[in-house]
């Protein structure tokens, strides 16, 4: 079973289409059962919820896919509990698609010890020693019950030397083979599984990792280990090296990218799916995404403003509230402020993805790229 990509419009390498999961069981009311449109941005619900939002909010915003994190969910509340509650959709009340990251990024950001067998790490909750292997990552995600699951990969830091990147590529490929074998035994009838490409900012390692991953054969493919501190030209060169070797009839996912320039440049290179905590984290700290750029609502200049957060975004969930009022809520630490700014920023990001999709269809992507560069670079 594959997650198939149906092309609907294109502009040079950029593409707009529909991803279909043949065995998908979920529809959020915006498309056929088991399908969603691309380019797609996935809000991050690390522990099963996007901060300050619930499943009804996500549906009203038009979200197609929410991302959750296997590392956190398997530790709390535990994959066994989620399975006993009927799986992640029943547990969270979210009837849209869910993609679970394997937790590899979190594990290696916490100085995990890796061998060819798997990774050993300490729980961020109680300090206990935990193990995760390619096989158990598949098993935990099967218990959680996501629609799209990710293999366990080795994600070295951006500044890691080439020798460390080479080891990561080799071990990621080894783990990917084992993860695919386990998936085909346990989960292939109910879930899709994406492979992950590593290689740092070395185009030759990226090409090698991509080809190795494609040769194993997954339902879709993700570009991992980027947007972690490297400069943008190096990031985009690495993306090019991956996309050049990826199938055209399957989805392509850049993991952990949320800035508008990065997203539109990667879309222009043929990437379909994105996730990031960027819009929600900014909102919690008072930063607003708008058609005029981003700004911090805490600044005194907004204290007496009766303007909405973004006058150009009339359908914002916060359009009925003034900047002055929301700044007051921020200043008094009223939780409503974080909630309303989160709703606005997620809605703005989803609208931005829709604008990109439309620009691919009508041939104006280059214009939107220039406008985005001028505003956000």
């Amino acid at each position: 079973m594959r997650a198939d990509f149906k092309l609907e419009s294109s502009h040079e390498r950029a593409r707009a289409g529909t991803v279909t999961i043949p065995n998908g069981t979920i529809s959020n009311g915006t498309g056929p059962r088991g399908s969603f449109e691309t380019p797609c941005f996935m809000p991050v619900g690390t522990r099963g919820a996007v901060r300050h939002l619930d499943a009804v909010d996500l549906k009203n915003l038009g979200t197609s896919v929410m991302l959750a994190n296997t590392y956190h969910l398997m530790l709390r509340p535990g994959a066994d509990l989620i399975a006993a509650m009927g799986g992640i959709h029943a547990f969270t009340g979210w009837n849209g698609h869910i993609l679970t990251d394997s937790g590899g990024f979190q594990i290696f950001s916490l100085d995990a010890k890796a061998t060819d067998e798997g990774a050993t790490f300490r729980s961020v909750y109680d300090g206990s020693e935990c193990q995760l292997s390619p096989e158990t990552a598949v098993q935990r995600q099967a218990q959680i019950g996501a629609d799209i699951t990710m293999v366990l990969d080795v994600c070295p830091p951006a500044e890691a030397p080439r020798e460390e990147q080479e080891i990561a590529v080799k071990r990621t490929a080894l783990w990917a083979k084992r993860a695919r074998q386990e998936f085909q035994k346990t989960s292939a009838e109910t879930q899709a599984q994406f492979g992950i490409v590593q290689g740092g900012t070395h185009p030759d390692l990226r090409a090698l990792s991509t080809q190795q991953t494609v040769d194993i054969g997954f339902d879709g493919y993700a570009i991992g280990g980027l947007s972690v501190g490297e400069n943008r030209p190096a990031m985009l060169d690495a993306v090019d090296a991956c996309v050049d070797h990826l199938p055209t009839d399957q989805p392509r996912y850049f993991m952990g990218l949320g800035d508008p320039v990065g997203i539109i440049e990667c879309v222009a290179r043929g990437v379909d799916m994105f996730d990031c905590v960027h819009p929600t984290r900014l909102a919690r700290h008072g930063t607003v995404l708008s058609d005029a750029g981003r700004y911090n609502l805490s600044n005194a200049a907004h204290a007496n403003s009766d303007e909405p957060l973004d006058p150009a975004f009339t359908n914002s969930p916060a359009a009925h509230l003034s900047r002055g009022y929301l700044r007051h809520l921020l200043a008094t630490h009223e939780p409503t402020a974080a909630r309303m700014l989160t709703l606005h920023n997620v809605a703005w990001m989803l609208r931005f993805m829709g604008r990109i999709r439309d620009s691919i269809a009508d041939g104006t992507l280059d214009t939107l790229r220039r406008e985005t560069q001028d505003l956000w670079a």
Side-chain angles (χ1 to χ4, degrees), residues 259-262 264-265 348 352 355-356 365-377:
D259 74 278
V261 173
I264 199 166
E265 289 303 311
W348 188 92
F352 177 64
R355 291 175 64 197
I356 295 176
L365 178 64
D366 290 339
T367 299
L368 184 58
R369 284 174 72 184
R370 288 192 295 271
E371 292 174 353
T372 304
Q373 285 276 3
D374 290 343
L375 197 60
W376 296 91

Side-chain angles (χ1 to χ4, degrees), residues 73-75 77-84 139-141 143-144:
L73 291 175
M74 75 179 191
L75 296 177
D80 290 341
L81 186 149
I82 294 173
Q139 294 160 12
R140 297 296 86 77
Q141 291 180 88
Q143 289 180 288
I144 291 169

Side-chain angles (χ1 to χ4, degrees), residues 74-124:
M74 75 179 191
L75 296 177
R76 287 190 180 178
D80 290 341
L81 186 149
I82 294 173
M85 295 287 284
I88 189 69
H89 296 94
F91 187 56
T92 63
W94 167 240
N95 289 324
H97 299 89
I98 294 178
L99 181 150
T100 43
D101 186 0
S102 68
F105 177 82
Q106 286 72 27
I107 290 169
F108 288 101
S109 68
L110 297 170
D111 295 323
K113 296 179 180 178
T115 68
D116 285 351
E117 291 306 308
T120 301
F121 58 96
R122 295 282 179 182
S123 167
V124 294

Side-chain angles (χ1 to χ4, degrees), residues 9-17 38-41 223 235-236 239-240 243 252 254 257 259-274 352-361 365 368-369:
S9 60
S10 62
H11 178 81
E12 297 178 351
R13 289 187 294 168
R15 52 197 219 158
T38 64
C40 168
F41 181 82
I223 300 170
M235 181 191 84
L236 295 177
V239 170
D240 284 332
V243 172
R252 304 160 176 172
F254 190 123
L257 182 64
D259 74 278
V261 173
I263 286 177
I264 199 166
E265 289 303 311
C266 287
V267 169
R269 287 161 169 79
V271 181
D272 309 304
M273 301 167 59
F274 304 87
F352 177 64
M353 302 307 293
R355 291 175 64 197
I356 295 176
R357 180 181 170 87
D358 290 344
S359 74
I360 295 171
L365 178 64
L368 184 58
R369 284 174 72 184

Side-chain angles (χ1 to χ4, degrees), residues 51-54 56-57 60 283-284 317-318 326 334-345:
R51 292 252 183 121
H52 297 295
L53 308 184
D54 68 4
V56 175
D57 292 323
N60 291 340
R284 295 195 300 275
L326 289 170
E334 170 58 52
T336 301
R339 171 173 164 75
M340 296 311 299
L341 265 62
T342 299
L343 283 167
H344 169 85
N345 279 2

